[in-house]
Amino acid sequence: MSFTEADGENISPGFHEECAVFGVWGDPEAARMTYLGLYAQQHRGQESSGIVSLHDKQHIVHKGMGLVGDVFQESDLNRLSGAAAIGHNRYSTTGASLQYNIQPLSAHLLNGPVAVAHNGNIVNAHDLREELKTQGAIFQGTNDTECLLHMLARIPSNDIVGCLKEALPKLVGAYSLVLLTDDRLVAARDPYGFRPLVLGRRPLGDGSFSWVVASETCAFDLIGAKLVREIEPGELVWFDQNGEHRERIPGDTKRMAKCVFEHVYFARPDSQVFGLSVYESRKRMGEMLARENKVDADIVVPVPDSGVPAALGYSRESGIPFELGIIRNHYIGRTFIQPSQSIRSFGVKIKLNPQSEVLKGKRVVVVDDSLVRGTTSQKIIRLIRSAGAKEVHFRIASPPTTGPCYYGVDTPGKSQLIAAQHTLDEIREFIDADSLAYLTTQGMMQAVRGDEKEFCAACFDGKYPTPTDALAAQ
Ligand code: AMP
């Protein structure tokens, strides 16, 4: 989580972060593997990127603002020597674009250097931070991960695993962590298991292998590593010169709360998340959607790219042909120069172009993964109608988004979530669709082959697995 500095000392939680972590142990090309692992996970964060490597008990650091491909040059990767490294991609919004917030964060503790890369949000970070400040902690950045470093620094032990076993139970919320010290690499996942974290092995060609840890398995595919298993909720795994070790994070076993939104939108479709192919679960969401919400139409068109697997599922289940009625320009940077004359729908048109050859005179089912503010959908429908579609039936492959995420996905506040403020028919009218339907929570859970008790679907059903009073008050 990031904090925005408002009114001097008064710190309030800002928009949340979406991040990727990566770590490798025992690999002669550790930094290069980390670079590739971050490259494959660019979708989880585009604001900044960083790598810390371990060489001769010293940490070597390179971090910067921007995309992985821009932050690291050949010379940086050459400088990041050593057989172990960790890396992080970060996305955040308001107020948190400080250089210091770029992860991995580093500190020197009793036993030497520690670097940490974190995906997820600690929901009690504000209270922890205030408490640490009264004890004299000097914070340099505005992110929750820094709390963990201060907590570790206060434990009089030089055993990082022991320190983590004492500090982690005090964190409430989501953390998938990778840490590097001067003699080990540690990975930890919170007892709820909100965010994914996977363990793999990369063959080194001489019969040996290196250990790799990542947010998503797509990172393993790129570097030729094999998935061994998920790091379990509440598990600490570490690697040192004696190999792999594991322990439980002490404390009560919480209910599991795997983020269903990873499957709806966030993760790459070619990843296995929570032991399940994201591509297959998205197709099943589309199938369930078609079963629950039939419509007479000529073609099924996805909102590219996020709606494609669900649209395939919808088409397969309904028997309505799948067509690419909207083409996406993949080469959009973060900024573009606006034309001097204002052009209607320019913002979305630079990214999405409707094909009138496909859409003209057709009754179109448009499938997207989620509907948040409704503004994108409104623009897309306008484009589809301008390309000559006769009818537009909007289908959303997830339930109405009615609550913000406190655990690491960037969602706007309740006041901006259209489904939290308006009825189905008001939303349909706002986006100007002939009909609108969402997938039910039960349909979504069937698609992820899940038990509701194992998943967090709070952004859809309001059932937050941790207390949220303090967050709502801040
Ligand atoms: P809108 O309804 O205008 O807010 O936009 C919905 C679109 O945003 C959908 O097509 C989703 O693919 C995409 N989307 C949903 N959640 C997020 C998120 N947390 N960050 C970025 N894009 C998102």
Side-chain angles (χ1 to χ4, degrees):
M1 181 191 289
S2 53
F3 294 85
T4 50
E5 297 280 354
D7 308 327
E9 263 301 270
N10 182 10
I11 292 172
S12 61
F15 254 178
H16 303 279
E17 294 164 17
E18 300 163 328
C19 302
V21 297
F22 188 87
V24 53
W25 180 262
D27 198 308
E29 293 195 277
R32 277 169 201 277
M33 293 306 123
T34 306
Y35 170 78
L36 293 171
L38 294 179
Y39 214 105
Q41 299 185 101
Q42 187 74 81
H43 62 292
R44 296 185 74 88
Q46 300 96 42
E47 186 189 82
S48 64
S49 190
I51 296 178
V52 174
S53 71
L54 172 64
H55 185 99
D56 275 348
K57 295 211 160 252
Q58 301 294 319
H59 281 185
I60 306 167
V61 182
H62 185 80
K63 307 197 277 192
M65 302 297 290
L67 299 176
V68 178
D70 299 327
V71 169
F72 300 97
Q73 309 305 319
E74 184 70 33
S75 56
D76 303 318
L77 295 177
N78 289 338
R79 201 172 58 80
L80 288 160
S81 53
I86 63 170
H88 189 267
N89 284 339
R90 178 164 190 270
Y91 172 84
S92 76
T93 56
T94 37
S97 304
L98 304 173
Q99 285 285 333
Y100 185 81
N101 286 338
I102 305 175
Q103 294 197 28
L105 293 184
S106 299
H108 279 270
L109 306 185
L110 265 184
N111 197 32
V114 174
V116 57
H118 172 205
N119 174 209
N121 286 323
I122 305 303
V123 295
N124 64 335
H126 182 267
D127 292 347
L128 290 172
R129 195 180 168 96
E130 292 307 302
E131 191 185 320
L132 287 160
K133 278 203 266 179
T134 63
Q135 294 167 11
I138 298 168
F139 280 86
Q140 297 185 51
T142 55
N143 65 81
D144 58 348
T145 313
E146 205 180 346
C147 287
L148 178 63
L149 285 178
H150 283 289
M151 288 161 79
L152 295 175
R154 278 166 170 68
I155 300 167
S157 159
N158 57 16
D159 163 30
I160 188 71
V161 174
C163 291
L164 284 166
K165 282 169 69 181
E166 200 172 321
L168 292 179
K170 294 182 185 142
L171 304 183
V172 179
Y175 55 84
S176 282
L177 295 168
V178 183
L179 293 98
L180 189 65
T181 66
D182 66 352
D183 63 358
R184 53 182 94 170
L185 181 120
V186 188
R189 188 165 169 220
D190 68 75
Y192 294 97
F194 282 106
R195 301 276 141 241
L197 194 62
V198 283
L199 178 64
R201 296 198 321 191
R202 189 175 90 88
L204 296 179
D206 59 357
S208 68
F209 58 83
S210 58
W211 288 102
V212 283
V213 176
S215 296
E216 288 187 36
T217 59
C218 63
F220 293 170
D221 296 339
L222 182 58
I223 62 168
K226 293 270 168 293
L227 172 68
V228 173
R229 62 181 180 89
E230 270 197 87
I231 292 178
E232 287 167 23
E235 191 180 11
L236 260 172
V237 182
W238 74 96
F239 309 94
D240 59 16
Q241 57 180 4
N242 300 317
E244 183 207 6
H245 315 265
R246 51 171 115 162
E247 276 200 50
R248 300 293 306 167
I249 298 169
D252 298 341
T253 308
K254 308 275 191 322
R255 60 158 281 205
M256 267 207 260
K258 301 176 287 188
C259 170
V260 75
F261 201 67
E262 293 275 352
H263 272 275
V264 169
Y265 168 79
F266 197 32
R268 257 174 64 157
D270 50 341
S271 284
Q272 302 277 327
V273 170
F274 312 136
L276 210 65
S277 153
V278 174
Y279 178 65
E280 292 300 332
S281 64
R282 283 186 192 159
K283 276 201 298 190
R284 280 195 295 275
M285 286 175 198
E287 283 170 17
M288 299 302 299
L289 185 61
R291 242 174 264 169
E292 292 177 355
N293 297 287
K294 290 201 173 56
V295 62
D296 260 348
D298 304 310
I299 51 174
V300 174
V301 168
V303 175
D305 292 324
S306 56
V308 172
L312 280 168
Y314 194 102
S315 165
R316 188 163 68 184
E317 179 64 26
S318 64
I320 305 170
F322 175 92
E323 291 283 359
L324 290 176
I326 310 168
I327 302 300
R328 177 171 169 186
N329 179 348
H330 286 267
Y331 304 97
I332 315 274
R334 293 201 111 198
T335 53
F336 56 88
I337 298 162
Q338 296 277 356
S340 51
Q341 280 181 318
S342 81
I343 299 173
R344 226 166 129 78
S345 300
F346 187 83
V348 73
K349 226 176 185 173
I350 191 162
K351 195 167 159 191
L352 302 174
N353 192 20
Q355 299 206 71
S356 52
E357 293 78 6
V358 175
L359 299 166
K360 202 166 182 183
K362 299 278 172 38
R363 296 169 303 164
V364 185
V365 182
V366 182
V367 180
D368 203 357
D369 64 279
S370 58
L371 197 150
V372 183
R373 291 183 174 90
T375 45
T376 312
S377 318
Q378 186 191 49
K379 287 174 186 161
I380 287 169
I381 292 175
R382 202 176 286 156
L383 286 181
I384 291 172
R385 289 200 191 280
S386 73
K390 198 160 79 184
E391 289 172 21
V392 183
H393 301 278
F394 218 65
R395 293 291 176 272
I396 308 296
S398 61
T401 306
T402 50
C405 176
Y406 298 120
Y407 311 112
V409 173
D410 178 22
T411 34
K414 224 177 165 83
S415 62
Q416 290 178 59
L417 296 172
I418 193 166
Q421 307 296 337
H422 295 279
T423 63
L424 184 71
D425 203 49
E426 285 168 350
I427 302 170
R428 185 200 59 71
E429 206 168 303
F430 174 76
I431 64 174
D432 191 26
D434 292 287
S435 74
L436 168 68
Y438 291 87
L439 181 62
T440 60
T441 309
Q442 297 87 317
M444 178 176 69
M445 286 303 163
Q446 275 191 39
V448 293
R449 306 238 186 278
D451 180 337
E452 260 181 73
K453 290 191 204 83
E454 284 192 358
F455 277 87
C456 174
C459 53
F460 301 121
D461 63 14
K463 294 179 193 161
Y464 291 93
T466 65
T468 56
D469 301 357
L471 291 164
Q474 280 164 23

